[in-house]
Amino acid sequence: MSIPYVGLFEVLILGYFTILNSFYAVAVYVATRELSRHIRRRQSVALSELLSREFYKPVSILVPAYGEEETIRASVDSFLALHYPEFEVIVINDGSQDSTLQVLKDAYDLEPVERNPSRVLKTRPVLGAYRSRRVPNLLVVDKENGGKADALNVGLTYATFPLFCAVDADSLLDAEALLRLARRFIENDRLLAAGGSVRIMNGSHMRDGRVSELRLPGTWVERVQIVEYARAFLAGRTTFSSLGLLLIISGAFGLFRRADVMEAGGFLDGTVGEDMELVLRLHRHMREQKRPYDVEFDMDPVCWTQCPDSFSLLRVQRDRWQRGLWEALWAHRKMWFNPRYGRIGVVALPYFLLFEALAPIIEVFSYAFVIVLALTGQLDLRFLALFLLVALLYGAVVSVTALSIELFMRVHFRRPVDRIALLLTALGENFGFRQWHAWVRFLAIFRLGRRRGQWGSMTRRKIRARGF
C-alpha cells in the first residue's frame, strides 16, 4: 500500500514541531530576561515600603469549595495570614457532600449573619451566610451545588472590595503573594487582571500553613507535572504577557478588577474552563468598547497547589483542561483572525487554536503516520531522524533549559538529588509521557460538552505539618 503525498505530510509534520519547539526556545530566552528584571525589581522595593503605602487597593479573596474537608482549614489559615493591609476572605461552599462546612464552623466559630449582596448575578440559591466570631474578615457562604463558576459568581455578589482574588480551596499562598500581585494594580491604572505563578507542593514539608522546605514528591507522575508547570508559567505565560498576548490566568491564583468583571457578566456558568473563558471575554469586552487595558502575568507571587498523584487522576484533569480550552475558544470564535481584536485576534487566538487546541490531533496523527510508514516499508530514515530531532529531542532540550532556569534562579530544592531527578524527568518526559498526554487530550475532543460546569474530581491529601 502506497500512501499519497508522503513527502508533503513529512514536511508539514517537521515544520509544525520545529515551529512549536522554537517558540518555546524563544520563550525561555524571553523568560530569562524577564526573570533577571524581576529579581532586580524585587530587591529594589522593600516589603515594608509596600505595606506602609496608603494607596493600596483592598482585596476580596474568593475561595470556591466543593468536597475540601481535608484541606480547607490549612488553606483558609494561609489566606488569613497573608501580609496585606486590608482584605476579606469569602469561602463559598458549593453544596459539598462531605463535612467541608462543618469543618469551617468548628475551626472559626461561625455564626449566621444577614448580609444582602451588593449586586446579584444569576446563581443557584444561597442557603446561608456565616461570619466568624474570632476572625472578622472571614465570611462563609453556603449555597446549593452549581459548579465552580456559579460559586465564584456568588462570591462576587458578596464581595465588597474593588479587587478580587480567585483561588482554589486546596491551595496555599505565600505570605507576600497577594501584596506583590496587587502592587501591579497600583503601578498600572490600565490593569484589568493579573495572574501569579502556581507551583506544586506535593512532597514538600509544611509548617504553620506554609511550605517550609521543598521536597520532591515520590511518584514520577507528580514530578513530571513540576516540569510542566515550570515550563508553562516561566516560559509560556511570561512570554505571552510581555507581548500583550496573555489569554489564561490560572483559576488557582488570579487578581481582577471586580467592577469590570461584573460589567462583563461574571463567570460563565456551565463551562469547565471558566478561568480562560473569563479572560477571553474581558479581552473581547474591552476591545469592543475600545477601552485601553492590560492583562499581565507576574512570576514573582507564588501559589502552592496539589497536583494529581496518579495517572488516572491526571487523565481526568487533562481531559477537563482540553475540553475547557475548546469551549473557551469556540465561545469566542468571532475573534479568530479578526483584526478588530488586535493582536489577541490575529496572533494569540490563532496560536492557541493551532498549537494548543489542535495540538493533540496533529501529534497523534504524526505518531500514527510514522508507524504506518514503518509498517508499509515507506519510512525514510532521514525523515525519522529529523522527526526524532525536532519533535522529541528539541523539546527535551527546551524543557531541561526551562527547568534549569527555574531550579537555579527561583526554586530552591536544597537536596542535589532532587534537582538531578527533576532534570532527568524533564529529559525523559518527551519519551512516553508526552505521547500518553497527547492521546488523553485527543480523546477529550470527542467528549466536548459533557459534564458541563461540574467540579473536577481529585482525591485531596490532608496537609500536615511535616508534609503530605
Side-chain angles (χ1 to χ4, degrees), residues 32-65:
T32 304
R33 294 183 58 185
E34 288 295 314
L35 181 55
S36 298
R37 289 177 53 195
H38 271 268
I39 292 174
R40 293 195 300 269
R41 185 167 173 261
R42 181 169 184 170
Q43 292 172 344
S44 64
V45 181
L47 178 61
S48 58
E49 179 185 350
L50 293 173
L51 283 169
S52 65
R53 293 178 178 177
E54 298 179 355
F55 47 86
Y56 63 85
K57 295 180 181 295
V59 176
S60 298
I61 301 174
L62 308 185
V63 190

Side-chain angles (χ1 to χ4, degrees), residues 322-369:
Q322 184 67 19
R323 288 185 290 117
L325 171 63
W326 266 110
E327 287 179 2
L329 291 176
W330 185 252
H332 299 281
R333 57 192 179 278
K334 175 184 177 181
M335 300 171 66
W336 297 1
F337 307 99
N338 192 336
R340 179 185 180 186
Y341 299 98
R343 67 186 71 180
I344 298 299
V346 299
V347 179
L349 282 169
Y351 172 88
F352 271 83
L353 179 64
L354 182 61
F355 293 105
E356 295 291 343
L358 292 174
I361 299 175
I362 296 172
E363 288 198 33
V364 169
F365 169 79
S366 299
Y367 298 131
F369 179 71

Side-chain angles (χ1 to χ4, degrees), residues 141-152:
V141 181
D142 186 33
K143 62 178 289 291
E144 291 184 4
N145 180 260
K148 185 176 181 180
D150 190 71
L152 285 167

Side-chain angles (χ1 to χ4, degrees), residues 145-162:
N145 180 260
K148 185 176 181 180
D150 190 71
L152 285 167
N153 282 336
V154 168
L156 277 175
T157 64
Y158 278 86
T160 59
F161 293 145

Side-chain angles (χ1 to χ4, degrees), residues 413-423:
F413 283 92
R414 296 180 180 178
R415 301 191 306 175
V417 64
D418 287 346
R419 296 187 180 188
I420 295 173
L422 272 182
L423 291 174

Side-chain angles (χ1 to χ4, degrees), residues 202-332:
N202 295 43
S204 298
H205 287 183
M206 314 297 296
R207 181 176 300 166
D208 299 326
R210 297 282 178 263
V211 176
S212 59
E213 182 183 357
L214 281 178
R215 284 291 187 94
L216 206 60
T219 66
W220 190 86
V221 68
E222 294 170 291
R223 296 177 182 183
V224 78
Q225 290 173 80
I226 294 178
V227 176
E228 287 185 304
Y229 275 55
R231 183 174 58 240
F233 283 92
L234 176 66
R237 296 193 188 181
T238 298
T239 301
F240 280 114
S241 179
S242 65
L243 298 176
L245 302 172
L246 190 63
L247 296 188
I248 299 178
I249 289 179
S250 174
F253 184 30
L255 194 58
F256 300 82
R257 290 191 186 274
R258 178 173 171 271
D260 292 309
V261 173
M262 295 288 281
E263 182 182 306
F267 290 86
L268 180 64
D269 192 22
T271 180
V272 296
E274 73 288 330
D275 47 1
M276 181 178 183
E277 193 284 327
L278 175 62
V279 177
L280 272 174
R281 185 151 34 89
L282 289 173
H283 278 297
R284 182 174 178 175
H285 179 71
M286 299 298 283
R287 289 183 178 272
E288 288 178 350
Q289 294 193 347
K290 297 182 179 179
R291 292 163 56 186
Y293 73 99
D294 291 311
V295 176
E296 298 179 350
F297 166 75
D298 191 333
M299 67 176 71
D300 197 12
V302 175
C303 170
W304 298 94
T305 189
Q306 294 191 48
C307 72
D309 59 359
S310 69
F311 278 99
S312 60
L313 291 175
L314 183 60
R315 177 188 60 79
V316 173
Q317 182 195 68
R318 299 310 166 87
D319 176 277
R320 284 176 49 82
W321 286 6
Q322 184 67 19
R323 288 185 290 117
L325 171 63
W326 266 110
E327 287 179 2
L329 291 176
W330 185 252
H332 299 281

Side-chain angles (χ1 to χ4, degrees), residues 421-436:
L422 272 182
L423 291 174
L424 291 176
T425 302
L427 185 63
E429 68 158 334
N430 285 273
F431 305 93
F433 176 80
R434 178 171 178 170
Q435 291 72 32
W436 173 85

